[in-house]
Amino acid sequence: MKIQPAKNLQGTINLPGDKSISHRAAMFASLARGTTRIENFATSADCASTLSCFEQLGVEVAREGDTVVVTGRGKNGFRESAAPLDCGNSGTTMRLLAGILAGQPFDSVLTGDESLSKRPMKRVIEPLTRMDARLEADDNHAPLRIFGKNPLRAISFEPAVASAQVKSCVLLAGLNAAGRTSVLEKTPTRDHTERMLRWFGVGVAEEETENGRLITVSGDAGLAARDLIVPSDVSSAAFFLVAAAGLKDSALTLPNVGLNPTRNAVVEVLRDFGAEIEIFNEREIANEPVADLRVSGRGALRPRAGANVLRGKIIANLIDEIPILAVFGTQLAGGLEIREAAELRVKESDRIRAVVENLRRMGAAVEEFEDGLRVEKSALRGATVDSCGDHRIAMAFAVAALFAAGPTEIKDAACAAVSFPAFFETLATVAK
Ligand code: S3P
C-alpha cells in the first residue's frame, strides 16, 4: 500500500463496531437462550473468527450487513465440534473461548494463525487447570487442546498480568463452576465483559478492595438473549484522532464512539498533548458509554507538563493505542516516552520492536527499552515500512505516512482487515 502525505483531514467517518465488544456480543448471545440481534457488529476478520467458531459449536448465526442475528443455545447447549476451532489472528477469541469450553462436557481444540500460535497461553491454562479442566498445549502455545469438565471448580484468581482477556476467560469459566468464582484485578482493564454479562441478565458483583477490584460471578447464572447495538471502536478512532490532531486545519467528526472509562484514556492523553477534541451527545447504549467526537487540527502541539511520559496504570487503558501514540510522539514538542508496556511484545507482533524499526526507517530518533520506547520530535520522511502482519502497525504507519515528506510504502498492509477492513478506503475519503 502506497500512502501520500496529506495536508489535513476533513469530513465525517462512521467507524466500524468495536472489536472487543463485538466478540463478547457474539459469545454471550451464543451462551444465551433465545435470539439476539446485534447491530453495528464489527466488520473485523477477528470477530468473523469468533462467529464461525460458535457456528461450529452448533449456534445459528445470520448475517445481514453489519447486523448479526444469533440464536443462542444456553450455556450448556453447545455441540462438540468434530474439527478444530480456528481462532485466526484473534487472541480474544482464543482466550475467552477457552474459558467457555473448559466448562463443557466435551473436548475441543483451538488453533490459530502463525502469530496467534506464538502468543502466551499459560496465562489462561493456569487458572483453567486450577478450575479442574485439563488443557494440553506444546510449550503453552496454540494449538490448545481442552478436555472440558462440568461443573468446574470455582476459584479466586489474581492474574499476574493486567489482561481483560484473562479476566474474561476466568469469569466465563466461572459460569460453569460450582459456586462463586472471583478475579482480583490490581490494575483495572477494560470491563466490557462485566457490563455485557449484566446486559444479558447475569449478576456480576464488583467490590473495590485494598488490593484492587474484586469481580465475582456465580456458577448458577444463566444468560437471556437481549438485542444490542455495538458502539464504534475507539481503538480505530485513535488513528483518525491522531492524524487530524497532527495536521493543521483538519476538521473531522466521528459519531457513536465507545467511551468506556476503562478504555478511553487515549482521548484524555491526546488532549494532554494539546489536541483539540470535543466530546458531545454523550449517552449510554447497552450499558456502554457512547459519544460523538470532533477533532480539529490546530498546528504545533505543546503537551502539558508531565504529558510526555506514559507509564503505570494508564498503560492497560490504552494498550492497543500505543503504536499510534508512539507515531504521534514524532510530532510533539519534547517527544514521548512509554514505559511499563512490556505486554506490547506479546501482541499480534512485538509492537515495541515493530514501532522502533519502522520509525527509524522514516528518520525518527527512537530509543528502545525492554518495556517501552522513547521517541524524539522528528521530521519524518517517506520510506518502506513493514506491518509485521499486525493490523495496528499497518494503520499506525499509514498515519505516520500522512505526516512524512514523500510517499511511504507499507508492506503487508492488508492485515488492517483484522480490525478495520475498510481502513485505507476510509482514510482516502478524508485525507486532503
Ligand atoms: C482485549 C484485551 C486486550 C487488548 C486486545 C483486546 C479484549 O488484550 O490488547 O486487543 O477484548 O479483552 P489483553 O487482555 O491481552 O491485554
Side-chain angles (χ1 to χ4, degrees):
M1 179 68 61
K2 206 169 191 171
I3 308 276
Q4 300 292 342
K7 280 205 182 63
N8 55 52
L9 262 54
Q10 302 287 340
T12 297
I13 301 175
N14 286 304
L15 295 161
D18 187 277
K19 179 157 85 72
S20 286
I21 296 174
S22 296
H23 279 302
R24 288 160 174 81
M27 291 179 183
F28 299 1
S30 298
L31 283 162
R33 290 189 181 281
T35 298
T36 296
R37 186 183 164 84
I38 309 164
E39 282 177 47
N40 200 33
F41 189 84
T43 50
S44 96
D46 270 9
C47 295
S49 296
T50 291
L51 283 178
S52 61
C53 287
F54 279 93
E55 284 182 301
Q56 257 177 267
L57 292 163
V59 174
E60 201 185 304
V61 176
R63 301 165 178 82
E64 308 157 11
D66 61 4
T67 294
V68 172
V69 180
V70 176
T71 304
R73 299 178 64 100
K75 65 177 182 178
N76 300 115
F78 298 125
R79 162 183 92 202
E80 179 167 3
S81 169
L85 298 157
D86 184 1
C87 304
N89 190 244
S90 174
T92 307
T93 307
M94 185 167 284
R95 295 194 179 115
L96 271 60
L97 195 50
I100 293 169
L101 293 174
Q104 302 299 325
F106 56 76
D107 304 339
S108 309
V109 178
L110 301 184
T111 60
D113 70 4
E114 200 187 326
S115 152
L116 185 53
S117 305
K118 286 187 196 139
R119 297 181 64 187
M121 292 299 147
K122 189 167 174 207
R123 52 184 66 189
V124 293
I125 293 174
E126 231 166 44
L128 294 176
T129 304
R130 269 186 58 202
M131 294 179 85
D132 268 1
R134 197 158 70 76
L135 286 92
E136 278 177 10
D138 222 11
D139 197 24
N140 290 310
H141 291 116
L144 212 57
R145 188 172 291 276
I146 302 172
F147 302 91
K149 176 150 189 232
N150 189 282
L152 293 166
R153 180 208 305 264
I155 60 166
S156 297
F157 185 62
E158 227 178 290
V161 280
S163 163
Q165 293 177 359
V166 172
K167 167 179 65 178
S168 302
C169 167
V170 173
L171 293 176
L172 290 170
L175 297 178
N176 271 316
R180 290 161 69 77
T181 294
S182 312
V183 177
L184 181 67
E185 265 198 325
K186 280 199 232 64
T187 301
T189 65
R190 61 191 70 191
D191 65 357
H192 304 306
T193 293
E194 296 90 308
R195 286 169 183 263
M196 202 185 293
L197 281 176
R198 290 197 186 103
W199 182 256
F200 282 92
V202 174
V204 182
E206 275 180 62
E207 192 190 332
E208 293 303 331
T209 74
E210 263 177 21
N211 302 319
R213 208 162 60 108
L214 186 69
I215 308 143
T216 306
V217 294
S218 170
D220 53 23
L223 291 81
R226 190 172 177 196
D227 294 352
L228 60 94
I229 304 172
V230 178
S232 291
D233 198 318
V234 67
S235 300
S236 300
F239 300 105
F240 292 95
L241 292 174
V242 165
L247 295 167
K248 196 169 177 306
D249 298 327
S250 291
L252 198 65
T253 304
L254 308 172
N256 307 319
V257 178
L259 287 186
N260 179 313
T262 60
R263 210 23 227 296
N264 68 356
V266 65
V267 175
E268 236 13 77
V269 164
L270 290 176
R271 283 174 158 178
D272 287 345
F273 289 167
E276 196 178 309
I277 302 173
E278 260 179 274
I279 301 175
F280 56 105
N281 199 9
E282 287 182 76
R283 56 213 187 273
E284 193 155 292
I285 300 179
N287 284 350
E288 288 282 349
V290 176
D292 299 347
L293 303 182
R294 190 177 299 129
V295 51
S296 310
R298 290 279 179 256
L301 290 154
R302 302 240 150 258
R304 237 176 245 167
N308 296 81
V309 180
L310 295 174
R311 69 189 310 159
K313 291 196 173 180
I314 199 169
I315 296 296
N317 193 312
L318 40 69
I319 189 74
D320 293 338
E321 290 72 70
I322 290 176
I324 185 60
L325 289 173
V327 163
F328 205 31
T330 63
Q331 310 300 302
L332 300 177
L336 181 63
E337 183 165 328
I338 295 160
R339 303 302 291 258
E340 297 172 48
E343 267 294 302
L344 289 181
R345 294 208 183 266
V346 292
K347 294 292 180 188
E348 288 84 326
S349 70
D350 175 343
R351 288 184 173 162
I352 295 176
R353 174 54 53 84
V355 166
V356 166
E357 286 184 351
N358 285 326
L359 281 177
R360 282 188 182 144
R361 288 180 183 123
M362 297 184 76
V366 199
E367 191 179 347
E368 178 175 354
F369 307 113
E370 194 40 49
D371 67 344
L373 55 92
R374 171 162 185 88
V375 52
E376 306 303 334
K377 184 169 196 286
S378 311
L380 297 178
R381 55 167 187 266
T384 299
V385 296
D386 188 350
S387 74
C388 305
D390 183 330
H391 57 126
R392 300 212 191 273
I393 300 298
M395 295 186 280
F397 281 86
V399 174
L402 303 179
F403 297 152
T408 293
E409 211 167 290
I410 305 173
K411 285 198 254 177
D412 192 9
C415 63
V418 159
S419 62
F420 194 165
F423 173 79
F424 290 102
E425 292 95 304
T426 306
L427 183 60
T429 63
V430 292
K432 307 294 166 198

